[in-house]
Amino acid sequence: MELHVPGTVSLPSLKVLHLVWIKLTDDESASRLFSGCPVLQELLLQEIHGDNALNLNISIPSLKRLSLMFFAGYIQKLKMNAPILEYLILKDNQVSLEYDVEDVSSLLEAQVTVSSLANTHLSLVRALYNAKFLSFNWDWYSIKTLYNFKMYPLFLNLVRLELNIGYGGWSELSRFLESSHNLEVLVLVKGANCRGLGIECHWKPPKRVPKCFLSCLKVVHFRGFEGLTYQMSIVRYILNNARVLKMMDICSSGTSDMPLVSKFNILKKLSMSPRASKACQLQFN
C-alpha cells in the first residue's frame, strides 16, 4: 500500500500507529503524517520501502515506544528525535543505512539488531547512553570499517547488557565493559556465524579492569559456549577480576551437542581458575 500525504493531517486522538508493508512516495509524506499525530505514543514501522523516499524522519515529541524493522535497502537515512521515548526496537538488515539521532535521552530499554556492525552505527550507539537495559545483536563485524571508531560514551545508567556477537565482533565486549561503570548483569551470546569461515574468533581483554568489575557486576550468562580458546579466556578474565560476582552461568545450548565428558573437563578447568569473588557460583548447563 502506498502512503502519500500531500497536505496536513489531523489525528488528534491517535496514540498507536502500526504501518506494515508501506511504500513511501516521497520523503515528506511520513513527516506530514507524524506531525498530525500530536499524542502518538506507540509507532511500529515494518518493511517500509519506496522508489523515491530515501530519508525517514521520525520527530515525534509524544512518542514512548518505537519499533523499526528494515529488511531492504530502500531507506538511506533515518533521523530520530523523540525526547520522551522509553522503549526502542530496531532491526536493520541494511548495510548502508545512515543514522541521525538527535534526542532519545529518556530511553530506558533498547534492542538493536543489525546485519553488520559498522561505523554508520556510531551515532546510534552514542544516543543510547542513558538506557538502563541494552541488547545488541549483529552477524558480521568489519575491523577495517570500525578502525576509526571513537570511544563509546559512558553508559552510566546501564545495569543490564546483552551482546549477541557475530563473527569478528568480540573486541566490542571490552569496549562496552569499559564504558559501563554500573553494570550488574552481563549476557553474552555466541552468534550462529561467530566462527565465520572456519576461523575461530578472538578477544582482547580491556586495557584496565572495568569499574563495574570492582563494585557492581553480579551475574554473567554465557550462552552458546563451546569451550573455545577465546571463550575460556573471557570466562577466566571475569572470574579473576569481578570482585562481587555471584553467578557465572554457562550454557552450551544452541550449539552442537557437547559430550558430557567435555563439559566436565571444561567445568573442572574453570573451577581451578582463581576467583576475585569468594561468593561466586559457577554453573554449567
Side-chain angles (χ1 to χ4, degrees):
M1 185 176 76
E2 286 192 354
L3 177 64
H4 178 57
V5 184
T8 58
V9 174
S10 180
L11 298 169
S13 301
L14 185 65
K15 293 185 177 181
V16 178
L17 176 62
H18 291 185
L19 298 176
V20 180
W21 288 101
I22 296 296
K23 180 179 180 179
L24 299 178
T25 58
D26 52 61
D27 287 354
E28 291 76 25
S29 286
S31 298
R32 293 192 187 106
L33 174 61
F34 300 150
S35 63
C37 307
V39 296
L40 189 65
Q41 296 182 5
E42 178 180 325
L43 174 63
L44 180 147
L45 300 178
Q46 181 175 345
E47 289 288 7
I48 303 299
H49 61 98
D51 297 328
N52 301 313
L54 301 178
N55 301 313
L56 180 61
N57 186 353
I58 302 176
S59 297
I60 308 175
S62 59
L63 197 64
K64 293 185 177 181
R65 291 179 175 270
L66 176 61
S67 299
L68 302 172
M69 303 174 192
F70 302 119
F71 299 103
Y74 298 104
I75 306 300
Q76 292 189 356
K77 185 174 183 179
L78 172 63
K79 182 177 181 179
M80 287 192 290
N81 184 15
I84 66 170
L85 186 69
E86 297 178 351
Y87 300 95
L88 171 66
I89 297 176
L90 172 64
K91 296 182 180 181
D92 170 21
N93 199 36
Q94 303 179 175
V95 178
S96 59
L97 180 60
E98 179 183 349
Y99 294 89
D100 179 7
V101 186
E102 291 187 0
D103 186 1
V104 289
S105 56
S106 298
L107 200 65
L108 296 176
E109 181 175 351
Q111 301 176 30
V112 178
T113 301
V114 296
S115 59
S116 180
L117 187 65
N119 57 356
T120 54
H121 300 104
L122 178 58
S123 63
L124 174 63
V125 174
R126 285 178 170 174
L128 306 179
Y129 70 94
N130 229 16
K132 294 183 65 176
F133 310 98
L134 286 180
S135 173
F136 288 95
N137 305 266
W138 66 84
D139 293 326
W140 299 95
Y141 168 96
S142 172
I143 296 176
K144 182 178 180 180
T145 303
L146 291 176
Y147 181 77
N148 292 322
F149 252 35
K150 296 181 180 179
M151 182 71 69
Y152 283 160
L154 290 178
F155 300 97
L156 295 180
N157 294 326
L158 187 63
V159 295
R160 188 182 191 278
L161 173 65
E162 178 173 339
L163 299 177
N164 191 319
I165 301 175
Y167 174 67
W170 285 92
S171 60
E172 294 308 296
L173 169 60
S174 294
R175 293 190 181 188
F176 275 109
L177 289 176
E178 290 174 334
S179 302
S180 306
H181 293 180
N182 298 303
L183 190 66
E184 297 180 5
V185 179
L186 173 65
V187 181
L188 300 175
V189 183
K190 184 194 74 66
N193 68 334
C194 183
R195 299 184 73 172
L197 302 176
I199 304 174
E200 183 175 322
C201 296
H202 297 281
W203 174 74
K204 290 184 179 180
K207 295 181 180 178
R208 60 184 61 88
V209 177
K211 289 187 176 181
C212 62
F213 278 38
L214 306 179
S215 60
C216 50
L217 184 63
K218 298 177 181 177
V219 178
V220 176
H221 301 280
F222 200 138
R223 300 168 184 164
F225 190 85
E226 296 174 300
L228 300 177
T229 301
Y230 77 96
Q231 297 173 354
M232 296 289 286
S233 298
I234 292 172
V235 173
R236 284 185 174 127
Y237 180 85
I238 296 174
L239 291 174
N240 293 350
N241 293 283
R243 296 181 181 179
V244 296
L245 191 65
K246 294 183 178 180
M247 173 65 71
M248 170 64 75
D249 178 33
I250 301 174
C251 182
S252 61
S253 63
T255 65
S256 56
D257 293 337
M258 182 182 295
L260 186 60
V261 64
S262 297
K263 291 183 179 181
F264 177 79
N265 290 333
I266 291 173
L267 184 59
K268 183 178 179 181
K269 291 179 181 178
L270 293 177
S271 297
M272 297 173 63
S273 180
R275 303 184 199 183
S277 171
K278 295 182 179 179
C280 177
Q281 297 183 11
L282 179 60
Q283 182 172 301
F284 196 163
N285 296 314

